[in-house]
Amino acid sequence: MGWEDRLVVWGLAIQLVIWGWGGAPVVEAQGYWETVVNNAGISTMHSAVAHDGNVVLLDRTNVGPSQLKLAPDNCRDNLADRSLKHDCTAHSALFSPNSNKVRPLKVITDTWCSSGQFDGSGKLVQTGGDADGVKKIRHFTPCGKGACDWVELNGGLQEGRWYASNQILPDGTQIVVGGRGVATLEYVPANGRGTYYLPLLSKSNDAQMDNLYPFVHLLPNNQLYIFANRDSCLYDWKTNKVARDYPTMPGEPRNYPSAGSSVMLPLSASNDFGNAEVLICGGAQYGAYLNPAGQPASQSCGRITPLAAGAGWVMENMPQRRLMGDMILLPTRDVLIINGAGGGAQGWGNAVNPVKTPVLYKPNNAAGARFQTLTASPVPRVYHSTANLLPDGRILVAGSNTHQFYTLTGYLPTELRIEAFSPPYLASNRPTFTAAPGGLKHGAGFTATVKVDNAKHIELNMASAPLVTHSFAQGQRLLQLQVGAPIAAGGGKFRVDSKAPPTSAVAPAGYYMLFPLVDGIVGSASWVRIG
């Protein structure tokens, strides 16, 4: 193995000195990168972290053979496959961050540009795709070190959904919104419900179809904020009616294929989890998809508070132009913007000027002081790349295939390496849980014990495990819990009394990563199940 394969970019040694008040230097580490798998065998288009600690990686079928073999007696036979009807290679895999091992999984129908999310039991519900997968529903139930695999259901979606978005709801079902040529939404499981027309999806459509993979966020008032292209609405999923429309966001189109990204900023017990803000960053010039010529990407971000009277957009600029970036909520309650390109649009061969430098966005800082540039990756990640928060606090980065098929040479080749980025908060003296709850009930108190050399301030923050695809982490949310003052318990341990989120609108039932945060340093998470 050559030095390039073992490349570790030690950004902790590359530090930015910022002169503070009185001329005193303040040194901020910028994080570091490591390649954890040199060849995963597949290029990851969708990814999700399961509560057993493993990461589900998923590409598409109809792409010919991958470089990850299935067992000889477990080949994939599908007469509807456009490329390889008898296929003994995998198009999905399970990655273990503890061992850096990859296990092949068998998926039958085409998952190209599909959607999904974990349900309340921790099962990954995966919906739609292309060709024979357009109406499919698939399940993956995590099983630790077992031999679990994909199960494709006999029943399916009511409408074909290619480029749709999913969001788990307080009642435990998932809403599936949009898709190519589809202006409706539906529910999984349907439980007797049909499909419902969403006017926003017609209003936001254009010649490029910039309303694909709409941004869907569950607000703490039990309604949905749905954004497509540059427009958005408040949707009451109980009555299936639009409750409110919002002003058009300034700037460029923001959804696929123009490919901005969006998060709902962390909710906090300090204001009863009520101050929901949505952040949208990046996008592409209109026409960049129809006439690929490398037009510069958007540089702007916008914030809106959907439940506020007179809600409108507050705009600011990122340090770089970026489309196809992934926005990840961090345990520190900051946002990481990672991956992407400086120009073009999503689609085969449309990306130019890869942006290898992640950016930290600090939403609680004053405007003009929210962005911090971090250490650049050696690997460009553009179309069909992903980024996921791991329980140990690292960011797992995979994928990037800007071609119709696997193309391992030339400009922006299909990327089979998996990297991990360690943000600056992973310093020495990391706190650890010596006691943490395995289960939570909404609104109920609990106690956790954290071990650390010294503790002035301890936070307990809950992060969901979303499905990430096409620059949007479906179902992503982060919750800062109510905590009391840490109580010294001897032996470097501190007891923290806390309280679970109050309702399933704030925290839908399911598994979350519970992170200890002590004086800005993040410890490894403990998985908790609420509901």
Side-chain angles (χ1 to χ4, degrees), residues 41-106:
I42 68 168
S43 185
T44 300
M45 185 189 303
H46 321 78
S47 56
V49 182
H51 66 272
D52 62 2
N54 293 316
V55 186
V56 181
L57 311 177
L58 186 62
D59 192 14
R60 54 172 285 208
T61 63
N62 286 320
V63 75
S66 74
Q67 294 195 352
L68 183 63
K69 292 183 179 180
L70 292 166
D73 61 349
N74 194 36
C75 292
R76 172 180 166 271
D77 291 295
N78 183 357
L79 295 179
D81 193 286
R82 294 167 175 169
S83 296
L84 199 59
K85 304 190 186 305
H86 178 72
D87 188 358
C88 292
T89 63
H91 301 280
S92 180
L94 201 61
F95 169 72
S96 173
N98 293 327
S99 65
N100 292 334
K101 301 293 185 182
V102 175
R103 176 169 74 84
L105 299 177
K106 183 179 179 181

Side-chain angles (χ1 to χ4, degrees), residues 392-407:
D392 63 12
R394 295 180 299 165
I395 309 300
L396 191 75
V397 181
S400 186
N401 186 10
T402 192
H403 307 279
Q404 182 175 2
F405 303 105
Y406 280 21
T407 304

